[in-house]
Amino acid sequence: MKKYKIVLLSGDGIGPEISEVSKKVLKKLSKNHNLDIEIIEELFGGIAYEKYGTPAPDKTLDQCKKSDAVLLACVGDIKYDSLARELRPESGLLKLRSALNLFANIRPVKMRKSLLDASTLKKEIVEHVDLIVVRELIGGIYFGKPRGHITNTKIPKAFNTMVYDAAEIERITEIAIKIANQRNKKICSVDKSNVLEVSQLWRDTVLNITSKDKNISLSNMYVDNAAMQLIRDPGKFDVILTSNLFGDILSDLAAMLTGSIGMLPSASLNNDGPGVFEPVHGSAPDIAGKNIANPIAMLLSASMMLKIGLNEEEASENLETAIDKVLSKGFRTADLAYGSSEVLSCSEIGDKIMDEI
Ligand code: IPM
Ligand code: MN
């Protein structure tokens, strides 16, 4: 029996509800596929701040480093918005990404036939959507220094720095090339090089690295145009390669093509060491505790964890198929509901998925 140690961070808001479903599903998959997956739960985000005064306690980070993979639900709540920036749950997330050196964030966006009607866009626009956002995750304006507030001026000022060095751009480009080679071999690199020096370096470096692989066809797009093209004709994208901030924005946009951000998983990876697998959505404090959240993005993240993090392809496929079956039968959570579909709670849709495993 193969043994794995995973860390589960259920975090804040709807996190505990969707984690509960994920735990049950992982247990059933383990049984069916003869896997020994030890699930270690640690505090992270607002809940860790409440107990230890920091959103990313050392104990949590140490466990994550020692694990085979980390499954994370979501963190954050408006009640922490008034805390010093380094104490906020979001800063804990950035600390975790940086501590594990997770420079590559992979966000697949694929239209499921059963959800065609859940998209706010016309069917013929979204039916062929099958793209992956490859987002640089531990650089750019999120981490650039100097940053801060200047308060001794007449008018208060604040500033951040968008900075990349060529090595950071190279390594994320290599990841995009690897992924594109398993797909349609098309990379669209997104930047703002008509205005920003850092984007010019991005564009030049991406061109330099991709030109070494003759199989890859590279295009470049300014980020404003990319946002427009993603709405106009999303089916033409294959791999979108972009920086931290642009990737954050475009991946939320891309998520909505497929109906709900409640469907979008992600993997944050390094070249070695454990990855963090987490839904793209946030903690949705407005619906927390009501058992109405959609657990599927977290389940799809668990599926990515099985496939990429643990190399357990069969278990991963089993889970994906189970989710597809439940959706094809017309079962929906509230975020996906339309017309005559049957609306289930978070735990109910979890149980339906369990039945298909
Ligand atoms: C995401 C989130 C995070 C980000 C926040 C919560 C810090 O929006 O993973 O997309 O901006 O990266
Ligand atoms: Mn985001």
Side-chain angles (χ1 to χ4, degrees):
M1 197 186 271
K2 286 209 210 119
K3 271 184 117 150
Y4 301 104
K5 200 187 260 190
I6 71 154
V7 173
L8 174 66
L9 307 173
S10 46
D12 308 318
I14 58 170
E17 302 157 46
I18 59 176
S19 296
E20 212 42 53
V21 172
S22 304
K23 257 194 287 184
K24 281 194 192 166
V25 164
L26 278 174
K27 284 196 179 131
K28 180 138 191 214
L29 282 169
S30 305
K31 204 167 143 226
N32 289 8
H33 293 268
N34 206 22
L35 307 172
D36 177 359
I37 302 181
E38 183 190 352
I39 300 176
I40 300 162
E41 295 195 53
E42 291 293 345
L43 295 182
F44 186 65
I47 182 140
Y49 169 76
E50 305 278 354
K51 181 140 187 223
Y52 299 113
T54 166
D58 287 341
K59 176 168 175 278
T60 300
L61 295 179
D62 288 344
Q63 284 289 7
C64 291
K65 284 180 192 160
K66 286 191 289 189
S67 71
D68 293 303
V70 178
L71 183 61
L72 165 63
C74 43
V75 296
D77 194 313
I78 19 181
K79 71 179 175 203
Y80 304 116
D81 283 358
S82 53
L83 291 177
R85 183 160 299 280
E86 67 276 14
L87 299 178
R88 295 189 203 168
E90 290 82 356
S91 300
L93 186 56
L94 300 184
K95 195 168 161 194
L96 173 70
R97 290 172 178 172
S98 170
L100 296 183
N101 199 28
L102 305 172
F103 67 89
N105 183 225
I106 317 293
R107 299 184 160 181
V109 182
K110 191 172 176 175
M111 191 70 225
R112 282 162 203 274
K113 278 211 177 64
S114 50
L115 289 184
L116 262 180
D117 288 296
S119 179
T120 48
L121 298 184
K122 291 190 195 110
K123 262 189 206 171
E124 55 277 23
I125 302 289
V126 291
E127 65 188 343
H128 299 301
V129 169
D130 181 359
L131 61 89
I132 293 193
V133 179
V134 176
R135 168 189 177 196
E136 198 292 326
L137 200 60
I138 52 172
I141 199 165
Y142 273 52
F143 291 88
K145 286 193 177 125
R147 62 186 291 164
H149 290 274
I150 301 173
T151 46
N152 60 359
T153 47
K154 214 166 164 193
I155 305 171
K157 272 191 186 178
F159 60 99
N160 292 85
T161 303
M162 191 186 271
V163 57
Y164 274 112
D165 66 37
E168 291 174 287
I169 305 168
E170 279 169 23
R171 65 179 180 179
I172 190 70
T173 304
E174 302 284 2
I175 299 282
I177 291 173
K178 210 160 128 189
I179 292 174
N181 269 317
Q182 294 157 5
R183 301 169 47 94
N184 295 327
K185 304 184 172 46
K186 285 195 321 194
I187 296 178
C188 177
S189 172
V190 173
D191 62 43
K192 189 69 187 172
S193 59
N194 50 346
V195 177
L196 305 173
E197 284 79 2
V198 60
S199 278
Q200 190 62 55
L201 180 69
W202 181 278
R203 191 174 277 221
D204 295 345
T205 310
V206 170
L207 175 63
N208 180 23
I209 301 297
T210 49
S211 62
K212 292 179 186 152
D213 187 332
K214 298 288 169 248
N215 296 319
I216 296 292
S217 103
L218 172 72
S219 60
N220 296 285
M221 225 179 246
Y222 300 135
V223 62
D224 48 351
N225 185 28
M228 183 173 79
Q229 299 303 333
L230 272 169
I231 299 295
R232 201 180 72 92
D233 189 9
K236 73 175 177 212
F237 289 95
D238 182 20
V239 174
I240 295 176
L241 165 61
T242 193
S243 58
N244 206 343
L245 179 64
F246 299 160
D248 179 48
I249 299 167
L250 293 181
S251 58
D252 269 34
L253 193 160
M256 272 317 286
L257 300 172
T258 64
S260 166
I261 196 166
M263 293 296 299
L264 205 68
S266 86
S268 302
L269 307 170
N270 179 348
N271 281 327
D272 44 51
V276 172
F277 300 82
E278 58 170 315
V280 172
H281 62 68
S283 58
D286 51 325
I287 60 162
K290 296 184 178 161
N291 194 23
I292 58 172
N294 183 353
I296 296 181
M298 186 165 183
L299 292 176
L300 290 171
S301 304
S303 168
M304 288 184 91
M305 175 184 81
L306 288 163
K307 184 169 171 181
I308 304 172
L310 309 182
N311 251 319
E312 292 294 343
E313 199 139 340
E314 270 178 32
S316 162
E317 253 156 46
N318 188 345
L319 176 52
E320 299 263 343
T321 313
I323 292 169
D324 271 337
K325 278 190 190 153
V326 168
L327 292 172
S328 309
K329 288 183 181 171
F331 297 118
R332 301 278 186 273
T333 39
D335 55 318
L336 295 171
Y338 63 94
S340 62
S341 52
E342 189 177 337
V343 178
L344 300 184
S345 68
C346 175
S347 53
E348 283 167 344
I349 202 152
D351 290 342
K352 293 277 179 213
I353 292 168
M354 297 267 287
D355 291 343
E356 301 290 348
I357 288 173

